[in-house]
Amino acid sequence: MKHFKVWYTSVLILLLVVLAACSESSSQDINTESEGAENINPDKQVEAPFEGWVEGLPQITAPEGFEWKQFEGVELNFISENTPPSSAIAANIEQFEDVTGIKVNIEQTDLATVVEKASLDFNAKSAKYHLIYADPYQILAKQSQHFVDLNQFIEEPTMPGLPGGLEDFSQSQLEAAGYMGDKEALYALPYDNPTMVLAYRTDVFEKYKDQFEEEMGYDWTPDEDMTWEQYYEIAKWITEKAEEGVITEVNYGTGHQAKQHDSLMNDFSNILASNGGDYFEKDDLGSVGSTEPGKSAMDSDVAIESAEFYNKLLKVADPGSTSWDWSGLAEGFAAGNIAMIPEWHEFSSMFEDESSSNVAGNVAWTTLPTGNERKAHMYGGTGIGINKYASEEEIKASWLFVLWSTSPQAQYMILKSDQGGSTPTRNSVYELEEVQNGMEPGTPESEEMPNLLAMKPTLKAWEEEHAYMRPKIPQWPQVDTFIFTELSKMLAGQQDPEETVNKIAEQTNQLTDR
């Protein structure tokens, strides 16, 4: 009898395990076929009835016989950080709703709230939010198992395909925003792409160019050849001359987003990566990511040197820097107090808006300075993905929204929108003559699309050898907090640079059990 009970218990446990596995598997398996699939001709593509297509861009198409309003009446909820793309999409959502009959509610809030609400929704498996702004580092790295594999739709012949294909996205951005751990499943498509480059005041640099060159012996105009050491020298010179009353246009040579916040990690990372450093010894954590990051690299000589330089640089910066995130820094620069700043490129339109900026018409952009090893530009882009706990009908309807919102024509619309003004994630948009002209200062196109003024250096920053993607690991939110907390103590004079990076390394290794 005792043996029977053991056997019975073992069988029961085995059945429960099998049932659980089947349940988990079934949540991943989606019938991606269109309604009326038997009447659809995948061999013939028909142009979609969306407004706004521009000649030269890949078109949204569907196989002959596809009914765009087959999900009419479905209501979708999209949670997003309050970013320019989502503002533009929300302002123009009728373009999608009129064609599909799908209602889309867009909730915009700060990123921390998006992370919290998405996590609660995933844990409850309630699919309150069908569409997620899938920040690669704070959401996707920890929650990828809760997203639909979009390859299922890209490869489905009875549903609309991806206009331009995956190759129309920057491949480094696609890897960072879309994958986790490997490239077998694609969880999100690139939706926005803020990247840090250098903004500077042309009026200041032109007026005092000869004086600086006479004293310091080189042309100080910010360009691709500038080094971080030169950046420091220039910033220090401007700050000192402003204190003496020689320079009157600005008060400080540089400003930074050095608040005890994620922004501080971003600002410091440009210098760390340019010197050949990173947060972990393991390579390629910033692309597809990993669940096993290994040992911290923050106790290295490169990390110490980078922290020492950053500490030195902030001593000649606008003192408001230690209270600013990226928005505070942008406002300080727009007020006219600072000569140059490392900043996210999508603030270009703000700087050119005379209603909110005192520097309109006097701003130029270039790549960030070169460190000991290379140039490095922090990438801050995010993808849009689908909650796998939604119903099959909601998931299919969500795919149509993902398809449209990341399409070349929607990205072009976002670029030109008064409510958004974000820069496209699609390569094909940058090939348009109108967009090329918009990258040149003083053209009618640049006045209409001012974010394009930062795009020449940004396109350079997106090149693989110049881009920097922070580690995409499940533990990143905690590691990020270690970094900006300890760096903030350093900037406040509470600890020296070596102690700072060693504390970051020690806490990181404890977290990852290394």
Side-chain angles (χ1 to χ4, degrees):
M1 189 67 177
K2 182 178 178 182
H3 294 298
F4 174 77
K5 287 181 178 179
V6 172
W7 174 83
Y8 178 81
T9 302
S10 300
V11 171
L12 182 60
I13 292 172
L14 180 61
L15 285 172
L16 289 173
V17 170
V18 171
L19 286 172
C22 290
S23 175
E24 179 65 21
S25 175
S26 65
S27 68
Q28 297 280 1
D29 296 333
I30 305 165
N31 176 11
T32 56
E33 284 190 339
S34 168
E35 289 187 9
E38 65 278 5
N39 299 318
I40 290 176
N41 178 14
D43 296 326
K44 184 176 181 182
Q45 294 293 308
V46 179
E47 180 182 345
F50 292 106
E51 297 178 6
W53 177 74
V54 173
E55 187 172 356
L57 296 180
Q59 290 182 284
I60 303 174
T61 63
E64 185 179 45
F66 178 81
E67 174 51 60
W68 280 98
K69 287 202 172 181
Q70 63 184 273
F71 307 115
E72 187 169 15
V74 171
E75 189 165 336
L76 301 176
N77 297 320
F78 172 30
I79 187 166
S80 170
E81 186 181 4
N82 45 2
T83 60
S86 291
S87 297
I89 288 290
N92 294 277
I93 195 62
E94 72 280 353
Q95 293 185 22
F96 176 77
E97 293 179 341
D98 289 348
V99 170
T100 63
I102 300 166
K103 171 70 175 173
V104 182
N105 304 308
I106 302 177
E107 179 181 337
Q108 295 189 73
T109 184
D110 61 275
L111 182 57
T113 303
V114 175
V115 173
E116 180 182 7
K117 287 190 172 184
S119 179
L120 290 171
D121 196 31
F122 287 143
N123 289 337
K125 300 183 180 180
S126 61
K128 175 183 177 181
Y129 299 107
H130 311 92
L131 294 148
I132 312 291
Y133 182 84
D135 181 273
Y137 314 101
Q138 301 202 48
I139 295 179
L140 189 62
K142 294 183 70 172
Q143 309 279 12
S144 63
Q145 70 273 22
H146 301 299
F147 286 88
V148 170
D149 179 3
L150 301 181
N151 285 323
Q152 297 173 82
F153 285 104
I154 292 173
E155 296 165 2
E156 173 53 56
T158 66
M159 292 287 280
L162 194 64
L166 291 175
E167 58 270 23
D168 196 35
F169 295 104
S170 161
Q171 294 307 291
S172 62
Q173 292 176 24
L174 179 65
E175 289 184 357
Y179 299 101
M180 180 56 206
D182 56 48
K183 295 177 69 173
E184 292 182 10
L186 175 64
Y187 299 112
L189 291 180
Y191 180 66
D192 65 8
N193 53 21
T195 303
M196 291 188 75
V197 285
L198 180 65
Y200 67 94
R201 289 277 299 276
T202 54
D203 54 339
V204 172
F205 279 89
E206 289 170 3
K207 182 175 180 179
Y208 301 98
K209 176 181 177 180
D210 292 342
Q211 185 176 349
F212 179 88
E213 188 165 1
E214 184 177 343
E215 290 187 27
M216 303 298 290
Y218 61 91
D219 184 348
W220 75 338
T221 306
D223 59 17
E224 292 183 6
D225 295 326
M226 176 186 278
T227 67
W228 275 114
E229 283 295 341
Q230 289 174 331
Y231 184 91
Y232 168 77
E233 287 180 349
I234 294 167
K236 183 173 182 288
W237 191 88
I238 293 173
T239 297
E240 290 175 347
K241 295 299 182 185
E243 288 176 352
E244 296 169 6
V246 175
I247 292 179
T248 57
E249 291 80 4
V250 296
N251 297 322
Y252 300 97
T254 186
H256 294 266
Q257 46 188 270
K259 180 180 180 179
Q260 187 174 329
H261 178 272
D262 179 61
S263 60
L264 174 52
M265 178 279 303
N266 285 289
D267 199 47
F268 171 72
S269 295
N270 296 316
I271 293 168
L272 175 67
S274 73
N275 286 334
D278 210 334
Y279 294 106
F280 290 89
E281 293 179 354
K282 192 173 184 178
D283 293 332
D284 299 326
L285 289 177
S287 55
V288 298
S290 174
T291 57
E292 297 181 359
K295 189 176 183 296
S296 172
M298 285 301 286
D299 54 0
S300 66
D301 291 341
V302 172
I304 296 171
E305 179 184 4
S306 299
E308 288 173 343
F309 177 81
Y310 190 70
N311 197 39
K312 178 178 75 170
L313 179 61
L314 266 290
K315 292 185 187 308
V316 301
D318 189 318
S321 296
T322 53
S323 66
W324 288 338
D325 60 8
W326 40 76
S327 296
L329 174 60
E331 290 165 4
F333 184 75
N337 298 325
I338 310 168
M340 53 183 180
I341 59 169
E343 182 58 288
W344 302 100
H345 81 279
E346 292 184 342
F347 279 104
S348 179
S349 59
M350 173 185 172
F351 297 155
E352 298 303 324
D353 183 353
E354 294 183 358
S355 67
S356 60
S357 172
N358 295 326
V359 299
N362 288 313
V363 180
W365 296 80
T366 187
T367 53
L368 290 176
T370 304
N372 295 336
E373 295 291 332
R374 67 180 183 113
K375 289 181 177 294
H377 305 80
M378 174 63 85
Y379 164 75
T382 291
I384 179 172
I386 302 172
N387 188 335
K388 80 173 188 181
Y389 303 113
S391 70
E392 192 170 279
E393 184 180 47
E394 289 168 338
I395 287 174
K396 290 180 182 180
S398 294
W399 167 247
L400 297 188
F401 179 80
V402 171
L403 181 80
W404 173 75
S405 62
T406 65
S407 69
Q409 72 184 58
Q411 290 288 309
Y412 174 82
M413 175 270 291
I414 289 170
L415 171 65
K416 302 195 76 172
S417 173
D418 292 336
Q419 292 82 2
S422 179
T423 54
T425 59
R426 292 297 202 127
N427 296 330
S428 55
V429 179
Y430 295 105
E431 295 171 2
L432 296 175
E433 183 178 2
E434 175 189 16
V435 174
Q436 291 281 327
N437 291 340
M439 298 182 200
E440 300 296 334
T443 61
E445 292 87 352
S446 69
E447 294 177 4
E448 182 184 8
M449 299 173 284
N451 265 333
L452 289 175
L453 289 170
M455 280 314 302
K456 280 192 173 181
T458 303
L459 290 171
K460 186 116 183 141
W462 288 348
E463 294 175 3
E464 185 175 357
E465 63 269 30
H466 300 137
Y468 175 69
M469 276 73 170
R470 75 203 80 173
K472 192 166 64 175
I473 59 174
Q475 305 93 332
W476 180 250
Q478 297 98 310
V479 175
D480 186 11
T481 301
F482 300 154
I483 295 165
F484 65 68
T485 299
E486 299 304 329
L487 286 173
S488 187
K489 291 177 184 177
M490 178 188 75
L491 297 178
Q494 298 173 9
Q495 59 193 25
D496 65 31
E498 184 170 1
E499 183 182 6
T500 297
V501 297
N502 283 333
K503 281 188 174 181
I504 294 170
E506 181 182 355
Q507 293 173 81
T508 300
N509 287 332
Q510 288 176 353
L511 178 68
T512 58
D513 295 323
R514 293 289 170 176

